[in-house]
Every structure is written in C-alpha cells, then in structure tokens.
Amino acid sequence: MALHKDEVLNSLAATANVAQFVSFRPAMDSSIAQSYCRVADYPENHSFADPQSAVTALLAASSDRMVNVRSYEPNSPRSREFVYGLKSVDEVLGVLARLSEDKLHLIVNETIDINDGGVSGVAQGQLIEFAPDDTPRCVEKAGVASLPFHMGERILQTVYGFTPDLNFPANARVEFSIHPKVRGYHSRHTIIWEFESDVPEFLPAVVNWPNRFSRHLGDKVYGLLVADSLGLPVPRTTVVARRTAPFTFGRETGSFEVWTRTAPREPQPGLYTTVKGWLDPFALLSKEDPEGKHLQSVLCQAAVRAKFSGAAVAGPKGSLIIEGRRGEGDLFMLGHQPPENLPPFVVENVQATYKVLANRLGPVRFEWVYDGDVVWVVQLHCGVTGSEADVIVPGEATSWIEFDIAAGLDALRQRLATIEGDQGVLIIGEVGLTSHVADLLRKAKLPARLKPKPNDH
C-alpha cells in the first residue's frame, strides 16, 4: 500500500531536509486531526493541542513568517489545490476549514522564498529540470532548463557553490528546491518537497536555451556552463551576476590578461560591451542597463594566447561552417575583418570540438580560440542555421535593401528595425557567415545575402 504524502515527508525528514510542516487528516466529526510535524525547537512529531496551536508554532518558526497549504487525496500521487504565502493564523485556519470539507489530506509547510536567486524543479532518473522564481511545478510550464542529471548537478554546483542533496535511487521522482541561504528543518541548502518511487528511470533531456535559467544568469554564462559541464576547455571565468553570488569556473589558460564580457538575458550580437582588459562590472551594468532589464551579469574571462580565432555554426543538411582569422577574432566577429583561409590542422581541431558538442547537444554554434594546442570555447549557442555560401538567411523577397557593412554593426541594427517584412537585405562587402553580423541577420529572420563589392575580386 502506497504511503500518504505526509508519511513520505515524515520518513524523508529522518535523512533529507524538508520544509518545516504540520500535516492533518480528516477526522470523524468533519474536523481535522494532526498526523505528523517537523517544527524547529519542538520534539519530532510533537502533538499540538489543536490546529490553531500548530499553525501558530509553524508561523513563528518559519524564516519568512509565511506558510503554504497543500491538499491531496490519499490514493492520488498528485496534489490538489496549493495555496502559497499565507501570513496569519486566521488565513491558514480558513483555508484548512474550506479544504477539509472535501475530506482532503492537508500539509501546512513553511513558505520558502522562491525569488531568492535559487531554483526549484524535479529530478527523475537521469533527468533534472528546474527554473528560478517558481515552485517545483515549474516543470509543468514552458521554459525549464532540461539537462542530463550529471550535467545539471555540475552546473548547479558551479553556480551555487554546493552540490545539491539529490542522492536518491534512479527510479525515484524528487521535487526539490535549492537556496543560497540554508532553510528547512535541517537547515540545509536543498529542500525536498515530494518523493515518489518506482517511476520510469529514463526520460530524455531536451537541452535547449534560451530558457528561464539561462535568462536568470545571462545567455553567454549558461552556454559556457554547458560546455564546461561536458568537460570542454572553457577559459577561467568569474561571473558577477545580478541575482546570484559571484562564481568561477573553467580552466587556466596560461595568460594573465582578461576579457570583460557582458551577458544579456538572450543573445544580442555585438550590442553590449566586450573588451580586452578589466572594467568595473557594477559600473558597466549601471551604465549599459541601469534598469536591469537586459544584462544579467558581467564575465571576467581569462584571455587565451590566440594563434587563430573564429566561430563554427551548424548549417543546413548537416553541414558545418568554420571561419576565422589569425590572432584574436573580435574584429572578425564584429564584421570589421573578413575570414581568412584557416590551416587544415586548425579546422580539424575545431571539427573535433564540434563533434563532442553535437553528439551531446545536437546542432550548435560556438566561438573558439586556438592557442596552438587547445581549442577553447568562448561562447556556445544551440541550434542550426540556414546559412551557406553567399546566403546568410534563406528566403525570397519582393525587394532588396542594400547595406554596406563598413557602416558597422550598430548601423545595421538600426537599419533592420526599419525594413518591412517582405523585404530582404543585401550585405555589401565581405563578412563571415559565423560573425555577429550574420547572427544579427538570422535573429531578424529576414532574407539576407552577401553581395561582394565590385573591387573585392
């Protein structure tokens, strides 16, 4: 016979960290009777005189002085109504009285702030899914980060500085939340909310971003964390984020120089600062995004002694486009320099890096730097492009607007904002299909082609 949810919580509390709670079951006289409790400074399963005493004690012990009420039918593995963030004893007693009319079992637990910079989600078998600013029910919504368990666990450990307490059997489904400050009955960073056994072990992860967690950290940060979790060389990177404490990951490059890079919520090719050298991250965030709507973090990334730099993108029909130049690649990525012919050994090394990424993630786009021994991943995005030869974005147009790339990336961004949906763009000049210029055109989703200047050949 399956255990009730509060029986499961009571059992979990012996070893795992649960939110402080008091549970109730329907009584014969249409009232409710206490079943279990875990409240700080009270004995295990202390029997309170009545529901009012229990709720009073739980509210007083809660760090945020708020509680939630969960309801469920004993023979159903899924919860019924969930009421969040109740602040007074009378509010809680009113909810308990209303829900008890349907003979539901009830759990009152302390409210844990879901907006504290942590995440909530579900781990099941070899899959983990999570999102910030939500309860574990986030997995029923769009936009969760979905990852193989070992990758997700490593990313969470990197960001928050501790390994989540999620050591459960492979056939278990665990609802959890992770918090920068210790919370719950055992005062730990991980709280377990629900546990089910004997569920399917294999669920495929759909590794895709932007998602809610990548927007939480910044798109560049998330892509690099994914590459790092796969064991690929990522330069030593310190992230100064708006909503998490600073954290560091990646490998030493042998260089004592650094790049300062901004990380918007979603890709904005070439729009925000990337510069070699150190800039004050707080001043940079204040200057470029004072309202905090677009930039989520600033990266201080170890420089690589670049012999060649460039980018690689997955093209149509399984093709791979690799472009770059000798030395550093910032001017190439901005469209100020055309690609050069790369030596075969450089192309082969970049192809090998792409193969590792594509085998785990599917088609990807990434920026790389080659120091003569190692291909370093300095940006990573997922997805395939339609670019090939002189076609940046495939499609036909009723008319074509010419744009000389010598005017620069910002001028192109402004020009794209004025182009109508049935028009296309002819880029005058030589620019890489993997550059930020091409990324910006793909983001605009307008037909775009390259048109060399007459004196280019």
Side-chain angles (χ1 to χ4, degrees):
M1 183 176 177
L3 296 177
H4 293 182
K5 288 180 182 294
D6 59 349
E7 292 176 312
V8 172
L9 279 176
N10 183 56
S11 177
L12 281 172
T15 55
N17 190 36
V18 300
Q20 298 177 82
F21 75 95
V22 180
S23 65
F24 302 93
R25 64 183 183 276
M28 295 298 294
D29 59 357
S30 299
S31 64
I32 55 176
Q34 181 185 326
S35 299
Y36 301 99
C37 88
R38 288 290 193 281
V39 179
D41 298 326
Y42 285 87
E44 176 183 320
N45 289 324
H46 173 74
S47 181
F48 290 96
D50 51 42
Q52 181 174 346
S53 301
V55 171
T56 300
L58 183 58
L59 274 169
S62 170
S63 59
D64 294 316
R65 301 298 186 264
M66 291 190 293
V67 298
N68 312 323
V69 178
R70 286 186 283 169
S71 61
Y72 66 96
E73 299 175 43
N75 297 323
S76 173
R78 295 289 183 262
S79 295
R80 289 274 296 271
E81 186 175 347
F82 176 84
V83 184
Y84 180 84
L86 302 172
K87 298 182 179 180
S88 73
V89 174
D90 288 343
E91 279 184 299
V92 180
L93 293 177
V95 171
L96 294 178
R98 176 173 61 81
L99 294 176
S100 66
E101 291 178 358
D102 292 331
K103 303 297 183 182
L104 295 172
H105 288 238
L106 306 168
I107 300 174
V108 185
N109 62 260
E110 62 177 327
T111 298
I112 306 294
D113 184 8
I114 61 173
N115 300 303
D116 64 355
V119 297
S120 300
V122 172
Q124 181 170 339
Q126 297 304 308
L127 173 69
I128 188 169
E129 296 183 321
F130 52 86
D133 305 324
D134 212 334
T135 70
R137 290 190 176 188
C138 65
V139 299
E140 299 167 8
K141 308 172 186 176
V144 297
S146 179
L147 294 160
F149 184 86
H150 71 281
M151 288 177 60
E153 183 181 52
R154 177 165 173 171
I155 287 173
L156 291 171
Q157 191 279 330
T158 298
V159 173
Y160 295 107
F162 55 85
T163 301
D165 295 327
L166 296 173
N167 186 23
F168 292 93
N171 67 338
R173 180 185 187 276
V174 180
E175 296 189 7
F176 67 88
S177 61
I178 291 171
H179 304 276
K181 294 194 300 183
V182 293
R183 301 296 189 96
Y185 184 62
H186 292 298
S187 296
R188 300 174 189 167
H189 291 285
T190 306
I191 290 183
I192 305 302
W193 294 97
E194 292 194 16
F195 175 91
E196 291 179 49
S197 58
D198 299 324
V199 298
E201 295 183 26
F202 180 76
L203 296 174
V206 181
V207 184
N208 207 341
W209 71 96
N211 56 49
R212 292 170 63 185
F213 191 62
S214 71
R215 295 184 184 101
H216 182 65
L217 299 175
D219 190 84
K220 289 177 187 175
V221 177
Y222 189 80
L224 290 174
L225 285 168
V226 169
D228 180 68
S229 73
L230 291 172
L232 287 168
V234 172
R236 190 77 167 168
T237 301
T238 296
V239 178
V240 179
R242 292 187 185 274
R243 299 198 57 203
T244 66
F247 59 92
T248 300
F249 63 99
R251 310 180 191 180
E252 299 292 349
T253 63
S255 171
F256 296 102
E257 295 183 288
V258 299
W259 286 82
T260 301
R261 306 182 188 274
T262 47
R265 288 167 57 83
E266 297 194 16
Q268 299 288 347
L271 179 59
Y272 297 105
T273 294
T274 292
V275 63
K276 194 170 187 179
W278 168 253
L279 294 178
D280 181 337
F282 303 103
L284 189 56
L285 288 171
S286 177
K287 178 183 177 182
E288 298 205 347
D289 185 23
E291 296 182 359
K293 294 181 177 179
H294 305 291
L295 292 179
Q296 289 301 98
S297 56
V298 174
L299 290 69
C300 177
Q301 189 174 71
V304 177
R305 296 190 176 104
K307 293 193 174 180
F308 295 90
S309 305
V313 302
K317 301 176 182 178
S319 62
L320 176 62
I321 302 168
I322 298 174
E323 296 177 328
R325 289 182 62 89
R326 188 177 298 276
E328 294 176 343
D330 52 321
L331 294 179
F332 159 70
M333 293 305 302
L334 290 172
H336 299 321
Q337 294 177 336
E340 301 175 347
N341 289 328
L342 297 172
F345 67 89
V346 175
V347 174
E348 291 171 3
N349 278 279
V350 176
Q351 286 174 333
T353 300
Y354 178 82
K355 185 176 181 180
V356 173
L357 289 166
N359 284 345
R360 303 299 297 274
L361 306 175
V364 296
R365 315 185 303 279
F366 68 100
E367 295 180 28
W368 54 268
V369 180
Y370 181 63
D371 65 4
D373 296 308
V374 176
V375 172
W376 296 86
V377 177
V378 294
Q379 279 199 49
L380 174 63
H381 310 278
C382 62
V384 68
T385 72
S387 302
E388 58 180 336
D390 61 348
V391 177
I392 300 177
V393 182
E396 298 298 327
T398 57
S399 62
W400 293 85
I401 305 299
E402 293 190 350
F403 181 86
D404 192 331
I405 195 56
L409 196 61
D410 287 339
L412 174 59
R413 196 186 313 275
Q414 295 171 13
R415 188 70 179 94
L416 289 174
T418 69
I419 295 177
E420 298 178 1
D422 58 349
Q423 294 179 311
V425 185
L426 290 177
I427 297 296
I428 308 301
E430 190 174 357
V431 68
L433 296 177
T434 63
S435 66
H436 289 327
V437 172
D439 281 341
L440 186 58
L441 291 164
R442 286 188 286 263
K443 188 178 179 66
K445 298 180 180 179
L446 296 169
R449 300 175 182 174
L450 294 175
K451 181 181 178 181
K453 291 181 180 180
N455 60 354
D456 279 356
H457 299 286

